[in-house]
Amino acid sequence: MNRVTVVEHPLVQHKLSLMRQKDTSTALFRVLLREISLLLGYEVTRDLGVEFHTIETPLTSVDAPFISGKKLVLISVLRAGNGLLEGMLDLVPSARVGHVGLYRDASTLVAMEYYFKVPDDLADRPVIVLDPMLATGNSAIAAVSRVREAQARDIKMVCLIAAPEGLAAFHAVHPDVTVYTAAVDDHLDDHGYIVPGIGDAGDRLYGTR
Ligand code: URA
C-alpha cells in the first residue's frame, strides 16, 4: 500500500494482540501502548538526518553521528494520542510537543476542534502527528490540516491501527503524508469503530468505561 508503513515486527504484533483482548486491564493496556509507541517511534524516526562531530572515546578520536537539524515536534491528538506520546518522548526526550483537541461528533463522526496549541516554528522541523485509531480518518485529516496551516511541511502520521477506509480518505486529502501503523484492520462498523480493533482507545487507556 502506497504511503503506509505497517510495522510487522513480532514484538509489535504480540503486544498489539494483548491490547486487542477485551479483558486486558487498563494498566497493562497503557504499558503496552507505551511499549509499542517506542517501537513505532523507532521506525518513524528512521530517516532523521545526522551530522558528524569529532569526539574522544577513552581510546581515540572518532567522527561520530549525531542527529542534525531542529528538534522534532510530536503532536498528540487528544486524548488517546497521549498514549502514543509517552513512549515517543521516552525515545526522543528533547522533542517539542503540541496538542490538538478533537472529538468525534457522535452522529456525523465529523472531527470537532476544541483545542490547538503547537510550537510556533513548525516550518523547519520534522512533525509527527500521533493518533492511535485512524478510523474514518476525519480526526487525522483535521489534525494534519491544522498543522499544515501552522506551516508544517515535513509531516508523518503515527497510529496504532488503521482502517482501509480511513487510509483512503486520509491519503485523498494528504497524499504526501506517510502513515506508520502496527496494523491495517478489516473494516469500520456502523458507528465508525475499527473491526476487529481494540474498542475505544481513550476509554481503554484511561479506564473511562
Ligand atoms: N476511535 C477509537 O477509539 N476506536 C475505534 O475503533 C475508532 C475510533
Side-chain angles (χ1 to χ4, degrees):
M1 230 179 300
N2 207 15
R3 290 270 169 193
V4 181
T5 297
V6 181
V7 181
E8 286 170 340
H9 193 289
L11 280 173
V12 172
Q13 297 305 316
H14 177 85
K15 291 174 194 297
L16 178 59
S17 298
L18 294 173
M19 293 181 77
R20 287 187 191 276
Q21 290 177 291
K22 65 178 182 339
D23 294 330
T24 295
S25 70
T26 300
L28 179 58
F29 188 93
R30 206 176 284 152
V31 169
L32 290 164
L33 185 54
R34 189 178 190 129
E35 291 173 351
I36 288 185
S37 58
L38 275 172
L39 298 164
L40 296 176
Y42 180 78
E43 287 299 329
V44 73
T45 54
R46 189 176 278 283
D47 61 0
L48 284 179
V50 292
E51 62 192 18
F52 286 79
H53 295 285
T54 305
I55 59 163
E56 303 293 325
T57 78
L59 302 180
T60 187
S61 25
V62 63
D63 284 340
F66 292 87
I67 290 171
S68 62
K70 291 199 169 185
K71 302 257 183 301
L72 69 81
V73 179
L74 302 171
I75 309 255
S76 169
V77 179
L78 297 173
R79 67 184 162 150
N82 280 359
L84 288 172
L85 177 65
E86 306 266 321
M88 298 279 282
L89 279 174
D90 287 347
L91 201 62
V92 194
S94 60
R96 306 297 190 239
V97 176
H99 294 91
V100 183
L102 296 169
Y103 69 90
R104 289 207 296 180
D105 182 282
S107 53
T108 63
L109 303 183
V110 169
M112 310 293 288
E113 183 179 309
Y114 62 89
Y115 186 76
F116 186 75
K117 183 80 182 170
V118 300
D120 58 12
D121 52 352
L122 296 187
D124 304 322
R125 298 179 186 275
V127 173
I128 301 174
V129 178
L130 308 169
D131 190 3
M133 306 303 279
L134 202 155
T136 60
N138 290 346
S139 60
I141 291 168
V144 170
S145 297
R146 287 294 274 123
V147 299
R148 268 199 210 286
E149 277 170 37
Q151 308 307 322
R153 290 185 300 229
D154 173 5
I155 306 171
K156 294 186 168 74
M157 178 84 214
V158 173
C159 59
L160 178 69
I161 304 178
E165 301 91 323
L167 284 173
F170 181 80
H171 279 137
V173 181
H174 299 299
D176 56 326
V177 177
T178 300
V179 175
Y180 293 75
T181 185
V184 178
D185 271 7
D186 198 54
H187 66 280
L188 289 181
D189 74 8
D190 292 343
H191 305 285
Y193 279 90
I194 299 177
V195 182
I198 53 167
D200 187 292
D203 283 340
R204 297 206 59 196
L205 186 58
Y206 296 115
T208 41
R209 188 170 294 161

